[in-house]
Amino acid sequence: MKITPVKGRPLLHWVGKRPVDTVNAYPAQLVETYNVENPEKEPTYNRFMDGPNLLFHGDNKEILSTLLVQGFRGKIDLIYIDPPFDSGADYVRKVKLRGKKEDLEAEGHSIIEQTQYSDIWANDNYLQFMYERLILLRELLADDGSIYVHCDWRMNSCLRLVLDEIFSKNSYRNEIIWCYRDIGSRTTPYFKRKHETLLVYSKSETWIHNVQRGEIADSTRKRYEEYFNENDQITYAALKESNPGVFAKLKGIPQDLNDIWLDAKQGAQLTDWWTDISPLKHGFTESIGYPTQKPEALIERIIKTSSNEDSIILDCFVGSGTAAAVAEKLSRRWIAADLNKGAIQTTMKRVQTCIDEPRGIAHYRVNNYDFQTEHELKEIVVSKYGVETDRKAAFFDGTLNGTLVKIADLTKPLTRLDVQIIKDELQNRPNETRDITVLCNGSEVGMQEELDKDNRIHPINKIIVQDIQRDGVTTYSPAEADVEFQREGQNVIITIADYMSPTILARLEIDRTELFDEHIDDFRAQIDCILIDTDYTGEHFTIVESDMPEKKEDFVEEEYTVSLPRSGARVAVKIIDMLGEETVVTE
């Protein structure tokens, strides 16, 4: 599929800048559904309006490409994205096991930190990353649609120029400043940075905009009402002469008295300076422990302004799921995506519980990405070997004992192609004399012998393979779940008898050989939620029953009784633990 060329002249240049000219669809695999009958194996626009809302797990560039090919081009009414800010930080969420806070703290393992995503970029990669995705988002946007790009002081000036190029300067609508205050934070040698920016662009010269009004002081309203109401026939000059103080406060001169009366009666139209939404005030009541979570009131204002009830909302950096949850509450159709598996789990859970009867959710995986698992494997290896990492390095991952380090894909053995890619990179570095340490999880047969021979012939830039399997590094052990099923006619009694996550135990520095119940009184402390499919076919998981305790001190139930929809139906249980690991057990 061809992509429309960007509209404006280039305003910003960076190394490797290139537009997106064509897109290819990637297969979408149906993973999970909630409150959906007969879901599509792959989502299409033709079925979307009468079907479920869509949640995608994968690289959003590939997801956006798939949406374009599947008929969503020009169909999205509102896009809100809260992308990485190029902050140079890793964002983690604090994970607490379930149970009473004092009991867990007494054992010294109340909190586990889990990386959700890294916001560290090399050179110009950030701009190219955003450039490509914004081009695809423009293609998806409806003619009367709008896009809100959430950013802060780090990249707002660059993103403004990129947006001018892609959408054109004439499509710029607002720079909204969301500002807030706090107390008690550290003293800084500069004015505290307490605002973020929303850059707003439309697709064309007409766009959806529902005026939002804010509160005005009662004293101000009364002063207006003293001089006129809906039935008064008072002239503009008389009103100005009789109350010059009121007019002195006005930003510009109203064209007629109807504008003044409307502001007095319903509140003044909101400006581009938002001070009434506090992340602290809303964060205490809404927080689910996800880093960079935004208040629902902020997203609600955006959705109410720039969409109608039949509109489609898209957020391809969905994170904690705020945009999807608010869209659900406001009866909008929504599409959400994220690369982080934890974000997908959080959104799926949050939308299910945000209202009594959500429309339905179909969860797809695109190109089979699983960032969270791969990221955590890499972190374990870096820690075990003491690699000094360089997050901004474009190719190599860091250094170790005077060598450059390349961490291979740890989900598969090292291949000869992987080694050749390293050699090709070294060809571009003629002055590099260091050897290369490759950390891998197994390798192809005969790989070591070939490298030993090559290293004797070429003593500079020797490639040294460090196989973590041979070194006894255990990168991952699946959770162990004991689930019992007992049939009684058309009912099945499900008992969660036991659960143990080696990953959680490792994070808590508990030795598996020690008695488990000496450290965790109730195995359910590790379990976040229980999902049940009463007619599991193995193709995807259909959530029919769910147990999602709202309070962290509460546990999931140990026993469930479910009814079978038909004779011969098979029951499956999905256990999601506090670190997001999923374990499916079937009869």
Side-chain angles (χ1 to χ4, degrees):
M1 175 181 285
K2 294 289 185 180
I3 298 296
T4 306
V6 294
K7 293 187 174 183
R9 65 181 181 85
L11 299 171
L12 197 64
H13 298 273
W14 58 85
V15 176
K17 182 178 183 180
R18 60 194 180 280
V20 179
D21 299 318
T22 59
V23 297
N24 298 309
Y26 291 83
Q29 177 189 7
L30 183 61
V31 178
E32 191 175 59
T33 63
Y34 174 75
N35 197 27
V36 180
E37 293 184 5
N38 302 317
E40 291 185 284
K41 287 189 175 180
E42 287 204 43
T44 63
Y45 175 74
N46 290 337
R47 285 283 305 277
F48 174 70
M49 295 309 293
D50 296 321
N53 293 312
L54 303 177
L55 179 62
F56 292 95
H57 178 203
D59 186 322
N60 54 18
K61 180 183 176 182
E62 298 174 354
I63 291 166
L64 297 175
S65 299
T66 296
L67 289 173
L68 284 169
V69 173
Q70 295 292 358
F72 288 87
R73 187 176 200 157
K75 304 298 184 183
I76 308 299
D77 301 289
L78 170 61
I79 297 170
Y80 166 81
I81 58 171
D82 182 14
F85 287 3
D86 194 18
S87 64
D90 283 331
Y91 286 96
V92 301
R93 69 179 179 121
K94 295 185 183 297
V95 179
K96 296 183 180 180
L97 300 189
R98 291 195 177 277
K100 294 181 180 179
K101 181 179 179 182
E102 56 270 21
D103 292 345
L104 292 171
E105 287 185 341
E107 298 293 340
H109 51 68
S110 61
I111 295 177
I112 305 171
E113 288 192 347
Q114 183 183 41
T115 300
Q116 294 300 290
Y117 67 91
S118 292
D119 191 7
I120 300 172
W121 300 84
N123 302 323
D124 300 314
N125 290 355
Y126 177 85
L127 290 173
Q128 184 62 31
F129 172 88
M130 291 301 301
Y131 187 57
E132 293 173 354
R133 284 150 183 80
L134 288 168
I135 289 173
L136 297 176
L137 289 169
R138 182 203 59 195
E139 296 292 303
L140 288 165
L141 200 59
D143 287 342
D144 60 351
S146 302
I147 180 170
Y148 288 67
V149 179
H150 199 133
C151 53
D152 71 359
W153 56 272
R154 296 174 180 88
M155 295 303 294
N156 60 358
S157 57
C158 293
L159 287 174
R160 173 76 181 271
L161 294 176
V162 172
L163 287 161
D164 280 348
E165 179 178 337
I166 294 172
F167 288 89
S168 87
K169 289 184 177 181
N170 294 332
S171 294
Y172 164 78
R173 300 296 161 233
N174 272 112
E175 180 185 44
I176 298 169
I177 304 300
W178 173 43
C179 51
Y180 41 84
R181 296 180 180 177
D182 71 347
I183 58 174
S185 61
R186 65 182 181 87
T187 301
T188 62
Y190 46 80
F191 291 109
K192 288 186 178 180
R193 301 181 180 117
K194 291 301 171 185
H195 80 272
E196 292 174 10
T197 304
L198 293 161
L199 299 173
V200 186
Y201 284 74
S202 66
K203 180 74 172 285
S204 65
E205 293 301 311
T206 59
W207 62 96
I208 299 172
H209 186 86
N210 304 306
V211 172
Q212 303 297 305
R213 297 184 176 276
E215 294 290 331
I216 63 173
D218 288 340
S219 58
T220 301
R221 180 178 289 105
K222 289 178 180 179
R223 292 171 69 184
Y224 283 125
E225 291 173 349
E226 289 178 5
Y227 293 98
F228 62 93
N229 57 45
E230 289 175 291
N231 301 316
D232 282 340
Q233 299 296 319
I234 185 171
T235 68
Y236 177 89
L239 179 60
K240 182 176 181 180
E241 182 179 354
S242 61
N243 195 358
V246 171
F247 277 81
K249 295 181 179 180
L250 295 177
K251 301 285 187 182
I253 303 299
Q255 297 299 309
D256 56 50
L257 295 179
N258 290 331
D259 291 341
I260 303 174
W261 175 244
L262 192 62
D263 282 359
K265 185 173 62 174
Q266 297 184 10
Q269 181 177 351
L270 289 180
T271 68
D272 58 5
W273 187 263
W274 296 357
T275 61
D276 58 334
I277 299 174
S278 166
L280 288 177
K281 176 182 177 182
H282 295 88
F284 285 135
T285 57
E286 299 171 8
S287 175
I288 54 177
Y290 196 94
T292 69
Q293 179 180 346
K294 300 302 184 291
E296 289 192 7
L298 181 72
I299 311 304
E300 179 180 346
R301 177 171 295 171
I302 292 169
I303 292 178
K304 284 183 174 180
T305 300
S306 297
S307 73
N308 300 319
E309 286 203 4
D310 60 348
S311 293
I312 302 175
I313 316 298
L314 169 63
D315 181 357
C316 60
F317 296 89
V318 74
S320 64
T322 302
V326 174
E328 188 77 48
K329 292 178 182 180
L330 295 177
S331 301
R332 267 63 163 179
R333 305 305 318 279
W334 57 266
I335 302 171
D338 209 289
L339 180 63
N340 183 358
K341 184 178 179 181
I344 299 300
Q345 293 172 332
T346 299
T347 301
M348 193 77 178
K349 178 181 175 182
R350 185 173 180 180
V351 175
Q352 286 181 61
T353 57
C354 71
I355 60 176
D356 292 336
E357 290 292 333
R359 182 185 183 96
I361 313 169
H363 163 205
Y364 294 86
R365 183 185 294 119
V366 173
N367 214 5
N368 201 30
Y369 279 89
D370 192 349
F371 172 81
Q372 180 171 306
T373 300
E374 184 180 348
H375 183 79
E376 291 189 349
L377 289 179
K378 194 170 182 178
E379 279 191 333
I380 291 171
V381 170
V382 166
S383 176
K384 289 286 186 181
Y385 287 93
V387 177
E388 296 182 12
T389 57
D390 182 358
R391 297 296 185 85
K392 293 189 176 183
F395 183 82
F396 291 103
D397 297 287
T399 58
L400 176 64
N401 299 327
T403 69
L404 287 172
V405 173
K406 179 63 178 177
I407 302 176
D409 184 347
L410 298 172
T411 64
K412 64 179 182 65
L414 182 71
T415 68
R416 287 168 173 80
L417 177 59
D418 295 328
V419 174
Q420 186 58 51
I421 291 172
I422 295 173
K423 291 180 177 179
D424 292 344
E425 176 65 22
L426 291 171
Q427 290 291 325
N428 298 323
R429 301 173 180 230
N431 297 322
E432 180 59 67
T433 60
R434 287 174 289 183
D435 293 337
I436 314 302
T437 297
V438 181
L439 295 171
C440 63
N441 194 4
S443 61
E444 289 183 348
V445 177
M447 174 79 71
Q448 189 64 56
E449 291 77 5
E450 292 178 17
L451 286 175
D452 289 343
K453 180 179 179 181
D454 197 34
N455 289 337
R456 288 193 295 270
I457 299 172
H458 304 286
I460 297 177
N461 297 147
K462 290 189 293 186
I463 296 179
I464 306 160
V465 172
Q466 196 90 21
D467 188 338
I468 65 174
Q469 290 184 14
R470 290 201 307 264
D471 293 344
V473 176
T474 301
T475 56
Y476 174 72
S477 297
E480 301 170 9
D482 183 4
V483 182
E484 300 170 358
F485 301 89
Q486 180 181 346
R487 293 207 172 213
E488 293 185 356
Q490 286 297 108
N491 293 334
V492 176
I493 300 173
I494 303 168
T495 304
I496 313 297
D498 199 7
Y499 181 86
M500 182 172 67
S501 165
T503 305
I504 289 179
L505 295 185
R507 292 293 189 90
L508 299 176
E509 298 182 352
I510 297 175
D511 190 337
R512 288 189 63 179
T513 62
E514 298 179 9
L515 293 177
F516 179 72
D517 55 10
E518 287 185 5
H519 295 271
I520 299 178
D521 293 336
D522 195 316
F523 68 86
R524 293 175 296 169
Q526 306 162 90
I527 300 175
D528 186 32
C529 62
I530 300 287
L531 308 176
I532 301 172
D533 184 347
T534 57
D535 193 5
Y536 184 66
T537 63
E539 293 183 359
H540 69 274
F541 197 95
T542 301
I543 302 172
V544 177
E545 302 281 346
S546 59
D547 183 4
M548 302 178 177
E550 184 176 351
K551 296 180 179 179
K552 289 298 183 185
E553 59 265 27
D554 294 338
F555 295 125
V556 297
E557 301 293 332
E558 289 184 271
E559 185 175 289
Y560 309 89
T561 300
V562 297
S563 298
L564 297 177
R566 60 180 180 84
S567 177
R570 182 169 60 144
V571 176
V573 174
K574 181 183 288 188
I575 301 173
I576 303 178
D577 68 26
M578 302 306 291
L579 287 179
E581 182 176 356
E582 298 181 359
T583 303
V584 177
V585 182
T586 61
E587 284 186 284

